């Protein structure tokens, strides 16, 4: 790992020896360890894993046009960390009425349409439940957060992810607020992780 | 269950899933060829770790990266508030 100075900014890079590296959980951890080392010094802009440039000149050519945006983002994120909450929605939001003949192909056009209707109803239920849970979370931590990034329940998924940008000094308050929410909403499986570097709040740059 | 399964209801799976969703799916993108997704983690080649910081903040301390960072995401240190540079 080494640092490359580019127009008043510093990029932390590692040399790959010219060969491609297969991603793995351990390499993802290594990437995050570097990001965490930076986070101990000051809030960085974490780069997405897996970006390869041929040399320092190529890196400079990519960073230089974005220098103002990076500087503005660093200023905006200074003193902040990201906390992430994941919630598995309760069973009643995931399950719909059982249909006979659910396995295999639909026996008739009518049965097919019934299945489609049930699927759509389940997706609507999930979306509605996700919205309610998002509001619960928002209410619990409203006073602590500066920004929110919401990844709603994707089709077929019953888990929502909400990331918050919070001042470093609020980490324990945030954990306590989520803990209180967990007690208030025992039907929800609520998990919190962090502090992270602000991965979810650095996406729009570049 | 596979050691690296991404079942969020499994604690180890949750920790890894959280790590991968942050590291592989978020963050600044400056090259146009990032094609990694969480689902494709075993398939796609990567190499460079890169992040951007302000020069003066990094110059305040030596980095000393190895051997002092937490390995377990569930047991992270509480970061101290920063002074404004």
């Amino acid at each position: 790992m080494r640092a490359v100075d580019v127009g008043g900014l510093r990029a932390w890079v590692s040399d790959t020896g010219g060969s491609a590296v297969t991603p793995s959980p351990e390499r993802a951890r290594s990437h995050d360890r570097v990001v965490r080392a930076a986070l101990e010094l000051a809030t960085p802009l974490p780069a997405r894993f897996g970006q390869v440039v041929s040399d320092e000149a190529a890196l400079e050519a990519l960073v230089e046009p974005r220098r103002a945006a990076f500087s503005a983002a660093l200023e905006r994120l200074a003193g902040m960390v990201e906390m992430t909450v994941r919630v598995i929605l309760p069973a009643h939001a995931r399950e719909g009425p059982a249909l006979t003949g659910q396995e295999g192909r639909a026996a008739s056009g009518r049965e097919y349409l019934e299945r489609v209707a049930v699927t759509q109803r389940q997706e609507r239920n999930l979306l509605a439940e996700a919205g309610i849970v998002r509001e619960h979370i928002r209410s619990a931590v409203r006073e602590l957060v500066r920004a929110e990034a919401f990844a709603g329940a994707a089709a077929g998924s019953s888990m929502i992810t909400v990331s918050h940008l919070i001042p470093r000094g609020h980490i324990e308050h945030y954990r306590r607020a989520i803990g209180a929410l967990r007690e208030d909403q025992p039907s929800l499986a609520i998990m919190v992780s962090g502090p992270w570097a602000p991965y979810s709040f650095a996406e729009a740059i570049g | 269950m596979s050691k690296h399964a991404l079942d969020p209801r499994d604690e180890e799976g949750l920790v890894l899933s959280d790590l991968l969703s942050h590291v592989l799916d978020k963050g600044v993108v400056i090259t146009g060829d990032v094609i990694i997704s969480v689902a494709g983690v075993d398939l796609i080649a990567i190499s460079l770790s890169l992040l951007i910081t302000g020069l003066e903040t990094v110059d305040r301390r030596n980095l000393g990266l190895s051997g002092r960072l937490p390995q377990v995401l569930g047991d992270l240190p509480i970061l101290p508030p920063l002074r404004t540079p």
Side-chain angles (χ1 to χ4, degrees):
Chain A
M1 222 288 302
R2 63 197 170 85
V4 178
D5 294 345
V6 187
L9 299 171
R10 178 160 292 171
W12 293 17
V13 304
S14 59
D15 291 314
T16 65
S19 59
V21 180
T22 306
S24 66
E26 188 43 52
R27 290 202 175 98
R29 287 189 188 96
S30 294
H31 180 99
D32 192 54
R33 276 198 291 274
V34 173
V35 173
R36 285 183 186 282
L39 187 61
E40 287 190 15
L41 304 174
T43 301
L45 291 178
R48 191 171 306 183
F49 184 74
Q51 295 177 75
V52 184
V53 293
S54 54
D55 54 29
E56 292 184 13
L59 175 65
E60 188 166 355
L62 287 165
V63 171
E64 182 57 34
R66 298 167 173 84
R67 197 171 57 81
F70 286 159
S71 295
L74 284 167
E75 194 171 325
R76 178 171 57 87
L77 297 171
M80 301 284 165
V81 294
E82 175 177 331
M83 300 295 286
T84 296
V85 176
R86 290 177 159 207
V87 181
I88 299 174
L89 299 176
H92 68 78
R94 299 197 296 270
E95 294 165 358
L99 279 182
T100 55
Q102 186 83 7
E103 301 301 319
R105 294 182 56 174
S108 66
R110 179 178 173 179
E111 187 182 318
Y112 171 78
L113 290 174
E114 284 175 350
R115 289 187 188 183
V116 170
V118 167
T119 301
Q120 289 176 341
R121 198 154 55 240
Q122 288 171 336
E123 286 176 359
R124 280 198 301 273
N125 287 348
L126 272 177
L127 276 176
E129 189 71 24
I132 292 167
V133 171
R134 183 186 186 183
E135 279 307 314
H136 283 320
I137 297 169
R138 193 177 271 172
S139 298
V141 299
R142 190 189 308 273
E143 305 298 322
L144 306 174
V145 307
R146 297 293 182 270
E148 176 191 273
F150 178 70
S157 166
S158 59
M159 188 172 71
I160 65 169
T161 303
V162 185
S163 289
H164 290 121
L165 190 67
I166 70 169
R168 290 170 186 243
H170 287 171
I171 293 170
E172 275 311 305
H173 288 135
Y174 183 94
R175 286 180 175 145
R176 280 200 296 273
I178 296 298
L181 176 63
R182 197 179 280 131
E183 289 180 10
D184 286 347
Q185 304 287 335
S187 69
L188 300 176
I190 303 174
M191 295 148 287
V192 61
S193 68
W196 299 91
Y199 285 95
S200 301
F201 301 92
E203 283 186 298
I205 309 156
Chain B
M1 180 182 291
S2 158
K3 185 184 174 189
H4 296 141
L6 297 182
D7 183 349
R9 286 156 289 194
D10 167 70
E11 189 173 346
E12 186 184 2
L14 172 70
V15 170
L16 181 58
S17 170
D18 240 6
L19 173 74
L20 296 181
S21 69
H22 281 89
V23 171
L24 303 189
D25 199 36
K26 305 220 169 62
V28 171
V29 175
I30 62 168
T31 63
D33 56 354
V34 173
I35 50 173
I36 290 172
S37 70
V38 172
V41 63
D42 293 330
L43 304 176
I44 302 162
I46 59 94
S47 55
L48 182 80
S49 296
L50 183 154
L51 70 155
I52 307 293
T53 63
L55 277 180
E56 70 282 6
T57 53
V58 176
D59 283 340
R60 283 184 297 164
R61 283 166 55 177
N62 290 327
L63 297 183
L65 291 178
S66 61
R68 66 184 179 88
L69 291 168
Q71 302 281 329
V72 182
L73 294 181
D75 186 27
L76 296 173
I78 297 169
L79 294 164
L82 278 182
R83 289 171 302 182
T84 304

